[in-house]
Amino acid sequence: MTSPASPEFVPPQLSAGPRPAQGPAADEGLARRLRALACTAPLHDLDTRKANLAGEYSIYAMAEVALSAIDLVTLNMDFDTGADHEQIVARLLPRVAAQAPRRPAAEHERVARWVLENLINVGSVDRGFRAVYGTFGTDGVYTRRDYDFKLIEEVPGHGGSVYLRTTDEAVNVLVGALDTDVTSAQIAAEVKLEVLINRGRLADAQLAAEQARYRTVQYAETLRRTLEATRRNVRAVDWLNAVPDMIDEALDHVADRYRHENAILTNIRKARDEAETGNDPRTAEHKRRAAELVDIVKDCIRRHTQLQSRLLEAGPLFRAEQDRQAFAGPSGRTGLDLYGQLVAPLLPLPVEQATRVTDAFFARGTGLRTPVSVRVGDLIDLLLTPPVERDHLGAEMPEPDLIATPDDSRFSEEQLASAMELLTLEHDAPRRLSGLLAEARLRDPELPYLVILLAIHAASPPVGTAYRQGEERLLFAVDDGTPLHDPEFGGADLIVGTALLDAAGMTAARTEAA
């Protein structure tokens, strides 16, 4: 045995060379954390760049507004469509106004739009973010990698509209994780939610329920991207093994979650109903948390039901796309990237050198022009065919027989104006139909018939049509069970009134209609 004092003894920590990099699993964990840090960088950058805005905006917490925007887009987007841009801005205004209530409303709207546009990254070419991080390969060499991601992206909708959708990275920012398996994360969130409810910790249970809902949205987004890729190119998606396994696993997942969430919903309602009544503020807070949890879990059940219907439609969609794309041959050549291959290389060059490239490009980029070839037979026919005489103004149009339409309307314009004057209740309280009929009868014996027709029509007011047409007031009628006592009419003595329409809702409706 060699003693420590002998010259042959060398401590192990000194005999070893430079410590090699850790294994691939440990390095992958570091890369995941670096990507997670990169996803939060655009939010922190908002608070850094708010000093560049023209004005005093230091009072606003831009990262909080950004998280609220991501939350609103995630919860308002559907499977096929996304969230409306103007609607998200309108819902962000209360959050921004709460931070600076004394500032003008125009400034609040500017902050909301600035934050939303920066989350979309409007100023960039591809509207995405890029981060650089390093990893160690199997040989221990340090390699820098680019991580491209988006938080909110714009997607086309029906009728030329544009919607907003959050990406997986944005959902991961909300729930505090990155690249997590959706199914395992959903099961863990549901189990955690059930345990918290059974222990009566409804405040923590609400946070767990919101995280479970985010995971549900992310699961539906994975299926949507798979179906979109199938519509573009059915060969790019593995429908032999990967997608059928994913659909079967997702259907089992939805069935389990549906049973689990219904049981959770029963426990929440039980906790809400068994809460003692009284003036204790803790009891009131307990019941409020339970009521909010009921709404969140109901939304989770609705999203799972919608996801199940889409999963059942995935197989027929694949077969239909396979039949449609079976006879479509692959593209013979790739497209041209005008910016990357032409504009970007030419911008640093002098005009003398750039014009040679642009002249050559446009000379060949306009496409082939087929030369006109003249055949002798066609030339003889053209020369021997006599010209056809044409009228300068075209063929003579026949005179239409116009017949005046008789005016068979029962009520005149004056009667309609008088009836609308009676039903215009801007500064008065709602009135009974019986009183309106009595007043109309004093003006004109035929006027009560028109008033009662308008009142019956107001029993089911067209709110959506009034929004789209930009009306500020809407006539409504409500039946409270009081019978109508009138010499000519029977039925219910309706309560007739005028309702003011919401200006923000009207603006959102006009935007959707446009």
Side-chain angles (χ1 to χ4, degrees):
M1 180 175 179
T2 306
S3 63
S6 61
E8 290 83 1
F9 178 79
V10 179
Q13 64 270 20
L14 298 180
S15 62
R19 184 179 180 182
Q22 297 181 355
D27 191 60
E28 177 62 24
L30 176 61
R32 286 158 62 100
R33 283 179 288 170
L34 291 173
R35 291 195 298 266
L37 186 63
C39 289
T40 61
L43 276 66
H44 301 294
D45 188 52
L46 292 176
D47 284 317
T48 304
R49 292 190 295 107
K50 66 184 179 182
N52 298 331
L53 294 174
E56 181 58 37
Y57 291 89
S58 60
I59 192 173
Y60 296 102
M62 299 298 187
E64 295 181 10
V65 180
L67 280 175
S68 300
I70 295 174
D71 196 356
L72 287 173
V73 175
T74 303
L75 298 182
N76 282 277
M77 69 183 189
D78 206 347
F79 191 90
D80 295 321
T81 60
D84 182 71
H85 191 285
E86 296 299 327
Q87 185 180 6
I88 297 301
V89 172
R91 296 189 177 184
L92 272 179
L93 290 179
R95 166 75 68 173
V96 180
Q99 296 184 2
R102 298 183 179 180
R103 297 295 181 88
E107 183 178 299
H108 298 160
E109 183 177 358
R110 184 190 179 191
V111 170
R113 292 186 181 277
W114 183 77
V115 170
L116 190 57
E117 289 176 357
N118 278 273
L119 290 177
I120 303 172
N121 205 3
V122 175
S124 62
V125 177
D126 58 350
R127 299 201 170 184
F129 301 95
R130 170 170 292 184
V132 180
Y133 67 97
T135 58
F136 289 95
T138 56
D139 53 355
V141 178
Y142 182 79
T143 305
R144 294 189 182 274
R145 301 182 183 275
D146 293 335
Y147 176 49
D148 296 319
F149 65 96
K150 295 182 180 180
L151 295 179
I152 297 179
E153 56 183 353
E154 296 175 321
V155 295
H158 300 289
S161 58
V162 178
Y163 295 104
L164 302 179
R165 298 190 70 91
T166 52
T167 60
D168 287 342
E169 291 82 5
V171 177
N172 286 325
V173 169
L174 282 174
V175 300
L178 186 73
D179 294 340
T180 309
D181 180 67
V182 175
T183 306
S184 60
Q186 179 73 17
I187 295 174
E190 297 289 358
V191 173
K192 177 182 178 182
L193 177 59
E194 183 181 19
V195 171
L196 292 173
I197 291 173
N198 292 335
R199 294 182 179 180
R201 297 171 56 185
L202 296 184
D204 296 333
Q206 181 176 356
L207 179 60
E210 290 174 350
Q211 293 179 351
R213 181 166 56 177
Y214 295 142
R215 286 300 174 193
T216 303
V217 173
Q218 191 176 14
Y219 207 103
E221 189 70 10
T222 302
L223 176 64
R224 187 187 66 84
R225 287 199 304 269
T226 302
L227 297 181
E228 281 189 354
T230 302
R231 292 187 182 97
R232 289 192 297 268
N233 185 8
V234 73
R235 301 180 183 90
V237 183
D238 183 11
W239 278 91
L240 185 62
N241 298 313
V243 178
D245 294 343
M246 185 268 290
I247 292 176
D248 293 338
E249 182 180 342
L251 287 173
D252 296 338
H253 159 79
V254 169
D256 293 340
R257 300 282 65 74
Y258 186 79
R259 290 191 296 267
H260 201 79
E261 287 164 355
N262 276 281
I264 291 174
L265 194 60
T266 303
N267 292 334
I268 298 173
R269 287 171 174 166
K270 182 179 179 182
R272 180 191 61 186
D273 297 338
E274 290 180 354
E276 298 179 359
T277 59
N279 298 325
D280 189 358
R282 291 178 298 177
T283 303
E285 178 68 15
H286 190 81
K287 297 191 71 173
R288 187 183 67 82
R289 292 284 187 183
E292 292 176 354
L293 271 174
V294 169
D295 295 336
I296 294 175
V297 177
K298 280 184 177 180
D299 186 58
C300 290
I301 294 175
R302 181 188 65 82
R303 292 180 183 273
H304 279 133
T305 304
Q306 186 184 41
L307 177 61
Q308 183 185 24
S309 65
R310 299 297 180 180
L311 288 169
L312 295 177
E313 295 173 359
L317 185 141
F318 161 68
R319 290 188 290 271
E321 290 297 326
Q322 189 179 36
D323 294 340
R324 184 180 67 85
Q325 301 177 21
F327 302 100
S331 178
R333 55 191 304 176
T334 59
L336 177 65
D337 183 8
L338 288 177
Y339 181 83
Q341 299 179 3
L342 181 65
V343 178
L346 289 181
L347 287 178
L349 297 179
V351 178
E352 181 183 359
Q353 300 178 13
T355 52
R356 293 200 296 268
V357 179
T358 54
D359 292 343
F361 170 76
F362 286 109
R364 294 167 177 79
T366 52
L368 300 176
R369 287 179 291 181
T370 305
V372 179
S373 59
V374 181
R375 298 186 303 171
V376 177
D378 296 337
L379 181 60
I380 294 175
D381 290 340
L382 289 174
L383 293 175
L384 297 180
T385 301
V388 180
E389 295 183 1
R390 298 179 182 178
D391 192 354
H392 180 66
L393 298 178
E396 184 179 357
M397 298 294 295
E399 288 290 337
D401 296 332
L402 300 179
I403 301 175
T405 304
D407 186 8
D408 55 354
S409 59
R410 177 177 178 181
F411 305 104
S412 63
E413 295 292 336
E414 292 78 9
Q415 289 176 327
L416 178 60
S418 180
M420 295 306 296
E421 181 182 356
L422 280 175
L423 296 175
T424 303
L425 308 173
E426 297 182 4
H427 304 290
D428 300 333
R431 297 181 58 183
R432 288 282 182 184
L433 178 60
S434 56
L436 293 172
L437 292 176
E439 187 175 347
R441 195 172 284 112
L442 295 176
R443 297 188 178 189
D444 188 348
E446 294 292 327
L447 197 58
Y449 293 92
L450 181 56
V451 172
I452 200 167
L453 283 175
L454 295 174
I456 293 174
H457 181 70
S460 180
V463 181
T465 305
Y467 269 151
R468 289 190 295 271
Q469 294 180 353
E471 298 180 7
E472 298 181 357
R473 293 179 175 83
L474 182 66
L475 187 69
F476 70 92
V478 181
D479 180 14
D480 64 340
T482 304
L484 176 63
H485 299 288
D486 190 88
E488 294 180 287
F489 309 104
D493 195 0
L494 302 176
I495 300 176
V496 183
T498 303
L500 296 177
L501 298 181
D502 183 19
M506 188 184 303
T507 303
R510 289 177 182 173
T511 305
E512 293 177 358

